[in-house]
Amino acid sequence: MESGQDWHSAKALLEWHIELGAVDAIGDTPVDRYALEPTKPKAEKPAQAKVDAPNRAAPTPPAVVPQIDYVALAKQAAAGAKDLDGLKAAIKAFDGCELKKGARNTVIADGNPAARVMIIGEAPGRDEDIEGKPFVGRAGQLLDKMFAAIGMGRDATMSKDSVYITNVMPWRPPSNRDPSPEEMAMMVPFLERHVQLVAPELLVLMGNTPCLAVLGRKGILRMRGNWDQGWGKPAMPMTHPAYLLRNPAAKREAWTDLLEIQSKLRDNA
């Protein structure tokens, strides 16, 4: 019996299947899917009840790390310093401030502790970190020239003509950034004790950071040249020498502030 399809009809039917995407044969004979019995879904396995091992230990809760109040520790350490040597030792032993880990030196002070004037800067820079003394870079050299103009300096032989220099922070912040409020809070107790032990006649606050530490506020361009009170001492805010290096025109205002300091010292003589 001859097939009902000729060659051309079979070819056309094959091309039609190819256009529909039926390009792969999966068996030698066709399968009539409608004639197959429906497959039953597989029965789900009954969930097994979880049975704890009789001797399995309960998980150990994470250890609670106690929070250390470094500001309170700083206040305690500063209050315990009976003299400048004790204060220096307390600062060097204090490990609460992360800046200490990246610093070469602990920069505390320079000059005569019997001086009438105590200059407070912000923090050590690169040169200060290397030498271990405050204000020894370009800004420090300008600071020395400024006070030499009114007959004072850190190396003056007479205490009445000498100055004593320190910073709010004894360690250099990375990239000379401003110290954070948390970093300052830890070091201000040491600075206040430093002022108490030196007992100068007046304070010179060089920049925003010492103004914030001593007076509780900043805005040095508004505050400079106006006497204030800090920790029971007359305090003169001044623009930092580094600012004067960037803005030479401001040196005229700094000279006026120096004359105010000189006049104050003469009145107290």
Side-chain angles (χ1 to χ4, degrees), residues 40-45:
K40 297 180 180 180
K42 295 182 180 180
E44 295 183 0
K45 295 181 179 180

Side-chain angles (χ1 to χ4, degrees), residues 26-189:
I26 60 174
D28 295 333
T29 57
V31 178
D32 185 358
R33 300 290 179 183
Y34 296 99
L36 297 177
E37 293 184 4
T39 55
K40 297 180 180 180
K42 295 182 180 180
E44 295 183 0
K45 295 181 179 180
Q48 295 181 350
K50 294 183 179 180
V51 179
D52 292 336
N55 296 325
R56 181 178 296 173
T60 304
V64 178
V65 179
Q67 296 295 323
I68 301 176
D69 189 346
Y70 284 112
V71 175
L73 290 179
K75 291 179 179 179
Q76 182 180 0
K82 304 304 180 184
D83 51 29
L84 287 178
D85 288 338
L87 181 66
K88 292 177 182 178
I91 294 173
K92 290 180 178 180
F94 185 72
D95 293 327
C97 186
E98 290 292 321
L99 296 180
K100 181 179 180 180
K101 297 179 180 179
R104 291 184 178 92
N105 282 298
T106 300
V107 182
I108 297 178
D110 193 22
N112 189 344
R116 302 175 69 189
V117 176
M118 184 172 184
I119 301 171
I120 303 176
E122 298 181 347
R126 177 182 176 274
D127 295 325
E128 290 77 14
D129 186 37
I130 293 173
E131 294 194 29
K133 292 182 179 181
F135 283 96
V136 294
R138 289 184 63 219
Q141 294 167 16
L142 177 57
L143 178 72
D144 289 339
K145 292 179 181 178
M146 290 166 58
F147 277 88
I150 59 171
M152 304 186 75
R154 70 179 87 190
D155 297 324
T157 56
M158 302 290 290
S159 61
K160 67 180 183 66
D161 299 325
S162 62
V163 295
Y164 184 75
I165 308 173
T166 188
N167 282 312
V168 176
M169 306 301 299
W171 301 292
R172 180 193 181 194
S175 302
N176 293 339
R177 65 163 173 79
D178 292 337
S180 69
E182 293 77 16
E183 292 164 347
M184 286 184 60
M186 286 185 279
M187 303 316 299
V188 166

